Each structure stands twice: as structure tokens, then as C-alpha cells.
Amino acid sequence: MSVFNQSRKNVIRLILISMFLIIIIRLLSLQVATSKYKILAEDQGVFRKVIYPDRGIVFDRNHKAILQNTIIYDLMVVPAKIKGTDTATLCNILQIDTAEFRKRIITAIIKNKSYRPSVFEALLSEEKMAKLNENMFRFAPGYYLQERPVRDYPYDAGGNILGYLSEVDTNFLKSHKDEGYMIGDYAGKTGMERTYEKVLMGQRGIEFWKRDNKNRLTERLENGMYDTIAIAGQNMYTSIDIELQELGEKLMENKLGSIVAVDPKTGGILCMVSSPTYKPKYLTGADRKKHYSNLLLDPALPLFNRSVTATYSPGSTFKTLQALVGLHEGVITTDFRVACSGAFYGCGGGKPMKCLDRGVFDLRGAITISDNTYFATVMQKVIANPAYPNQDSSLRKWDNYMYAFGLGHKLGIDVPSEKPGNIPTPAYYDKVHGKGKWNYCNFRSVSIGQGEVNVTPIQVANEMAYIANKGWYIIPHLVDSIDGGDKFGMLEKFKKKHNAIDIPDSVFEAVHDGMQGVVDHGTGVAAKVPGIAICGKTGTVENYIGLVKQPNHAFFCGFAPRENPKIAIMCVVENSGRFGGTYAAPIVGLMIEKYLKDSIAGKERKAKLEQLSKLNLIPPRIFRETQRRDSLAHAKDSAYLIAKGYIKMIKDTMGMDASDEEDALDQMKKEKELTKKEQKKTPDSTGTRNAPAGILPDEKKKPLKEPVDTTG
């Protein structure tokens, strides 16, 4: 054989061997390295059905279900199987156009591959569900209906407490990669749903069904041998009194602010009202995205939980703590008296800190009347205490007291987005004034709860629990117990007493005397309830936006009854423009009466309840903000909202996920295309419990402005 023929023969052999190797490698790749075609082959005869478990049920303190489940359906799609589907009929039923159809298919492929099921439309309405049931044969095998338990709310209350669910996205899956979530799952995003997600979520089950040649499900594969059972989430029992919560939300209608009530013996939160609020059912079901967008754009910011996230100067309610410090440090006694001629002149006569009260007051009288000069003098004595070498160490000691009272740091409650508030430190004043170049007169307004000190409503309620208990508190919390046990150790920290400073009972008794006087014959008589000894404290809080003074906030806080207290409570009504005793005190009185007596008795008291609930205390600037943000030029313009920082503000304060933001912006774009007539109807569907109103959470108080008057 010639050399040429031998060479050609070798080349042919090499080509055949190479082709054979390529085929083998490709077969190995298809059958071993990738599961795509295996899955497609199996899916021709077997259907894998996910069984979503019921989430845990949540009960109030009286074992009433306040968060439970109902059944709704998702429309699922497997993009690889939709060829030949009657797309026009599907789009008509779902009321979408072909552009939206393509967008959803592309999104499903990007997020979850073409051969895996993805949610095409979640939480179908009853109308769409009925039409789909009649036509599903047109859409097989690319589409199917997936049963899903969703939340149901027996009471129209507690939206900010309970929170809401939304579908997980890729970012969520990355941060929870070992927790069993898949595209299409829902997870808690705010409130208890978020904090106790691990407890409530349960465990998915899987059923394998055989298909016939027309893609109809026939019977379970191997009689269910390969199925796994769905396990429901754990039920939870809370300290919430749902009737008290409902009353609080009613009393705060058409007002901005918060009511927080705590059981001082257990730390259990009895109610947590953030006003304005929203009906919890508006963030579940078929219209969730639409409602979410409307709530997000509402100038009242109903998604902003003021109870734990808003911060305020505490005003004269802070004087009770100054009394505790002064007495325990020994710089005053209960008989220590201060003469007030209308202002505090302890820092010279140039800029006296004014007040309305004239006379001579001891400790009890100063609390009862809420005298500024008395407590400015007390804090001056604390800072000038000769027991400490300098003002730095004196202020640090004062700071330690405030931290022990639960201020200046997060308490660690089981509600997301808690803020720490602020207690000023020597380091802060060194930074502002220069190291060693400051003294008490630079921050004297702190002595009466103004200036640099600020608190959250939950901190004030906890502070009242501390005083009621005469020196200890348990971290406020919503959940008391979990069915099946606390498997994740989430409740352990709510069993420990916090009593960092040992203050004698006699000191607390003196403060209690003054606080009972507030309600019996002082600045808080409007909180009085027949037959109940209430200890309370009013506060009237100055606040600023930039350099512009706003109407005063009204504060009232207290506990009852004085002996063996069962409720510690606070109320703030933002920008009411009146004293703490005018509006906040009577609201607290009604809440205490409801909780301790189980009802509001008598025509006069019931009339007072109705009067307060109908009272509109929305400040004028909020209406102006409403008109500006609701204008057709801006309110539905997502670019404008992003530029102004509204979306970021809500995202930061609520912990809103990127997927929620995207959903909201998509909804804004859709609503922008509505007619004027449709736009006029949109606000009625937001589900807010209040008339349009709100306060922006990034509004800042002018910290060093001297208050003209902060009497209760």
C-alpha cells in the first residue's frame, strides 16, 4: 500500500474516533452533567406538585385568632412547555397585553430557567380563577394552578404589628440560601411575619402525580411512595389585646402619632398603635401590589411604624427620670424646694429658660405641676456633683442612668426597624463645642426633655414600666409562647429582668406621689378614671423642621393602678399644637379604662370616646404636602419620587426589599396611565384607616433651640 493511501486511512480513522468521542462526551454531558433533559423527560409523564403549608396562626392574649389562613391560587408557568398555547385567551382572562406577557415569560426564564415552574400571576382573584378553571385545557401543559395558603385577618387592626408577606426574590434567596426557600415562595417582610418567619413558615411538601397522554393528572406516583408531607408553621400566642388595639386605632384616627401599652410585670406589649395605619388585609390577595403602591405613595406614610421607628424629644415626661437621678445621687431630697419666678436663671439672666409656673415647689409638687425651673436646677446639681472629678464624668454617670432606664439604645424588641433614640454624651459635646469647652448651660434644655435627647414611643412605655416596677423591666415583646416550644430560642431574652441600678423603693414612692398628683389635680386630670389610681406625666414637646418651628407634640405617659400596676402606657399626638393634658391624656385615660374595666362605662365617657375619635388634628403642612405629592404631575411619577428620596426613605425606615420597590415602581407606571376619572378613585382603595395625613420620618428637630415652654 502506498504511503499516501496509508496516511489517508489514518486520517479517516482519526476523524471517526474523534466523532465517536464527541458523541460519547455529549451523551455524558446530557445524561450526567446536566439534569435539564432528564427533568424534561420525567415531566412528560410525572407532575411534581408543591404543597405549601399553612403558616402558623397568631392569637392574642385572650386566645382570639388575629392572624390565620385561607386558600387562594397562583397561576404557574413552565416556559419550555408553552409552545402552541392559546396566548390570546390567557391574556384576555388576565387582562394583560402581549408586551406584559412577554415580560413575564422572560422574567420567569431569567429567575428560574425555562424548564422549571415559576409564578406567572400570583394570588388570583375569584373572577380570574373562575375563568381560568373553564379554560385550563387550552393552556396545558405549560400552565397549571397552584394552591397556596394566604393570610386572613379576622380583625381590621394591627397592620403595623402583624406585617405582610411577599414573594422572595434572588437577593432574598442568596441571603437565606440554606433555609429551603425557592422562587415562588412567600416570606414575611415586616412586623411579626418577618421577625418570626422561621417559626411561622412551616415546611413544604411534594406530591408526584402521573400524567396521561393529554397531560391530565391521573394518580399518585407509586401510591405516594415518594411524596413528602407539608408541615404547618407553629402557632404563636401574643400579649396583644386585640380589642384594646382596635380602640387605640379608633382614638388615633385623623391624628399622627402612636399609643404603646405594656404589661409591666411581663413586658408583654398590650397594644402598639401607629397612626395613620392600614387594614392588614390590603396587603394580601390579588390586589396586593396595587394596594402596596398606594400605601407607599400615601403622604401619611401608613407603612411607617412610628411606635418603634419615629423619634421625639420626650418633653416633660422626662422629668420623672431626672427626679430619680437627683434623689438617688443625693443632690436633692424630696423636701428640696425651688422658687420659680417664671424662668430658670441658673445660667445667667441673658437667655433665661422660660416656663409658665410661678411659686415654690418641692419634688412632688414640681412633678405634679411640671415646673421647668425645678428640674433644670436638679440636672444642674447632678452635673456639678462634687462626687465626680469633672463634668465629663458627671455626664457619663447621668448617661449610665438613662441607659439603665432603657434609653439611648435599642431595647431588642421583636418588631423590625427599632431605632435607638439618642442620649447625648461628652464625646458629642466635645465634637460640637470643642473638647472641654462646654458646660451644663450648653445643654440645659435636656433637663426638661428637649434638645439633643430623643426617644421612641416603645422606650417611653418601657420607661413607665420601669418606674411602675420600682426599678426593673423586661424587654417589651409581642410573643409570649410558641406551640411546640421555642425551638430557635427566640423568647429567651424576654424572660430576664433588667435592673442595672439599685434605686430604693422610697425614691420611686416619692416619684409615684408626684405622678398620681398629675392625674388627681395636676396637668393630666383629663386622664382620670373613676375608681382607678393612675400615675401619669404630661409633656408638651417643641419641634422644628429645619429652622421652622412646628406645632407642639402632645405627650402623656403613665401606669395604673398605682398598687400592683397592670398597664404602662404612653401616647403621642404629633403637632396637635396643645398641651399633653389636652388630647394625649384623655386618650390614655380611655385606654386604661378599657383594659382594666373591660369597657367604657357611662354616656359621658362614651361621648368623650366618640369626640376624640372624630377629632381631626392633622397639621396644615401635612395637607399642603398631600396636595403637592398627589398632583397629577408628581404623585404617580416614579422618577420624581426617586429623585426626592421618598422611595429610599421608606425603604430605609421599613427595611423594604428591592423586589418590593420594583413592584411599587411598576405599579406607579401602570397607574400613571389611568384616566383622571380612575385616578380620583384610586385613593379610596388604599385601605388607610385615616384621612390623608402624615409626617416624614426624616424631619429633624432643631437640637439646640431653647424651648419657650415645655410644661405638661
Side-chain angles (χ1 to χ4, degrees), residues 590-695:
L590 289 166
M591 295 289 285
I592 289 174
E593 181 177 358
K594 168 63 179 173
Y595 184 69
L596 296 182
K597 294 189 173 184
D598 199 40
S599 63
I600 305 299
K603 291 183 179 180
E604 184 178 341
R605 297 290 289 171
K606 290 178 180 177
K608 185 67 174 177
L609 190 161
E610 293 301 321
Q611 177 189 359
L612 284 169
S613 67
K614 294 175 182 177
L615 188 64
N616 191 326
L617 298 177
I618 304 301
R621 68 177 180 81
I622 298 300
F623 289 111
R624 291 193 295 270
E625 179 70 13
T626 301
Q627 293 170 356
R628 184 171 70 88
R629 291 176 66 183
D630 275 354
S631 68
L632 294 179
H634 289 153
K636 305 301 180 186
D637 187 337
S638 58
Y640 170 82
L641 291 167
I642 292 173
K644 292 297 182 182
Y646 294 138
I647 300 296
K648 184 179 186 301
M649 177 183 65
I650 294 294
K651 181 177 178 180
D652 291 344
T653 57
M654 290 182 52
M656 186 174 75
D657 286 347
S659 58
D660 296 327
E661 182 180 350
E662 290 169 4
D663 287 346
L665 293 178
D666 284 345
Q667 186 63 34
M668 290 178 213
K669 292 174 184 177
K670 292 176 184 177
E671 291 187 355
K672 191 176 180 182
E673 298 172 359
L674 294 174
T675 63
K676 291 183 179 181
K677 182 178 180 181
E678 289 171 327
Q679 286 174 328
K680 290 178 180 179
K681 295 179 180 178
T682 298
D684 295 333
S685 65
T686 63
T688 54
R689 295 288 303 271
N690 306 66
I695 184 167

Side-chain angles (χ1 to χ4, degrees), residues 340-367:
C340 178
S341 59
F344 171 69
Y345 293 99
C347 290
K351 291 184 178 180
M353 188 166 66
K354 297 180 181 180
C355 64
L356 297 178
D357 308 298
R358 297 173 184 269
V360 179
F361 305 101
D362 62 8
L363 178 83
R364 294 174 176 84
I367 294 174

Side-chain angles (χ1 to χ4, degrees), residues 97-109:
D97 57 24
T98 53
E100 176 66 17
F101 171 84
R102 287 193 294 269
K103 177 184 174 183
R104 293 187 187 185
I105 294 297
I106 292 170
T107 300
I109 294 172

Side-chain angles (χ1 to χ4, degrees), residues 53-269:
D54 286 342
R55 286 179 72 86
I57 299 172
V58 178
F59 299 90
D60 85 338
R61 67 187 298 106
N62 298 310
H63 291 192
K64 297 176 181 177
I66 57 176
L67 183 55
Q68 55 192 26
N69 301 294
T70 189
I71 298 297
I72 203 165
Y73 289 83
D74 294 341
L75 179 63
M76 309 295 291
V77 63
V78 182
K81 296 184 177 183
I82 65 172
K83 187 176 181 180
T85 300
D86 187 350
T87 301
T89 300
L90 181 65
C91 289
N92 184 51
I93 292 173
L94 298 179
Q95 299 175 356
I96 61 174
D97 57 24
T98 53
E100 176 66 17
F101 171 84
R102 287 193 294 269
K103 177 184 174 183
R104 293 187 187 185
I105 294 297
I106 292 170
T107 300
I109 294 172
I110 292 172
K111 287 185 175 181
N112 209 23
K113 308 296 183 183
S114 64
Y115 51 89
R116 291 177 180 160
S118 299
V119 177
F120 188 78
E121 178 149 338
L123 309 177
L124 297 164
S125 66
E126 291 183 6
E127 180 183 358
K128 289 180 181 179
M129 185 65 194
K131 291 180 180 179
L132 283 170
N133 269 328
E134 295 175 359
N135 292 276
M136 282 307 295
F137 70 94
R138 300 175 185 270
F139 313 133
Y143 300 87
Y144 65 91
L145 294 171
Q146 173 72 61
E147 184 181 280
R148 182 190 297 278
V150 295
R151 286 314 209 180
D152 182 51
Y153 303 90
Y155 298 89
D156 273 338
N160 294 102
I161 297 174
L162 301 174
Y164 66 88
L165 308 175
S166 68
E167 186 178 353
V168 302
D169 64 357
T170 52
N171 291 327
F172 184 94
L173 292 177
K174 288 177 183 177
S175 59
H176 299 80
K177 60 183 178 180
D178 298 323
E179 298 177 25
Y181 291 98
M182 298 173 59
I183 288 292
D185 289 351
Y186 278 63
K189 294 301 178 74
T190 61
M192 281 193 293
E193 294 277 28
R194 175 175 172 180
T195 302
Y196 291 98
E197 169 67 13
K198 291 190 292 187
V199 175
L200 295 169
M201 66 180 288
Q203 184 176 323
R204 288 187 309 274
I206 303 292
E207 290 180 356
F208 294 92
W209 290 76
K210 293 181 180 179
R211 296 179 187 266
D212 62 15
N213 60 353
K214 294 184 179 179
N215 285 297
R216 295 174 299 192
L217 302 184
T218 56
E219 60 181 358
R220 304 277 273 278
L221 182 66
E222 299 296 337
N223 294 319
M225 179 185 299
Y226 302 108
D227 296 353
T228 56
I229 299 173
I231 300 174
Q234 294 173 266
N235 297 337
M236 302 195 310
Y237 295 87
T238 72
S239 54
I240 291 292
D241 184 321
I242 192 61
E243 291 186 5
L244 191 67
Q245 180 75 23
E246 287 181 313
L247 176 62
E249 292 186 10
K250 180 176 181 178
L251 287 167
M252 290 299 289
E253 285 182 358
N254 298 308
K255 303 168 189 68
L256 311 178
S258 176
I259 303 173
V260 180
V262 174
D263 182 336
K265 300 303 181 194
T266 67
I269 296 172

Side-chain angles (χ1 to χ4, degrees), residues 455-510:
V455 297
T456 62
I458 188 67
Q459 288 176 329
V460 177
N462 183 65
E463 164 197 325
M464 289 297 104
Y466 178 89
I467 295 175
N469 292 331
K470 298 179 181 177
W472 60 270
Y473 69 86
I474 294 174
I475 296 173
H477 55 278
L478 293 168
V479 177
D480 285 338
S481 64
I482 300 172
D483 265 356
D486 182 16
K487 299 176 182 178
F488 303 102
M490 301 183 74
L491 306 183
E492 286 300 316
K493 65 179 180 179
F494 304 132
K495 299 175 183 178
K496 178 184 176 183
K497 287 185 178 181
H498 292 259
N499 52 347
I501 298 177
D502 186 18
I503 300 177
D505 285 1
S506 58
V507 169
F508 286 100
E509 285 293 342

Side-chain angles (χ1 to χ4, degrees), residues 519-536:
V519 179
D520 287 350
H521 53 269
T523 57
V525 291
K528 188 179 294 186
V529 178
I532 300 176
I534 299 174
C535 294

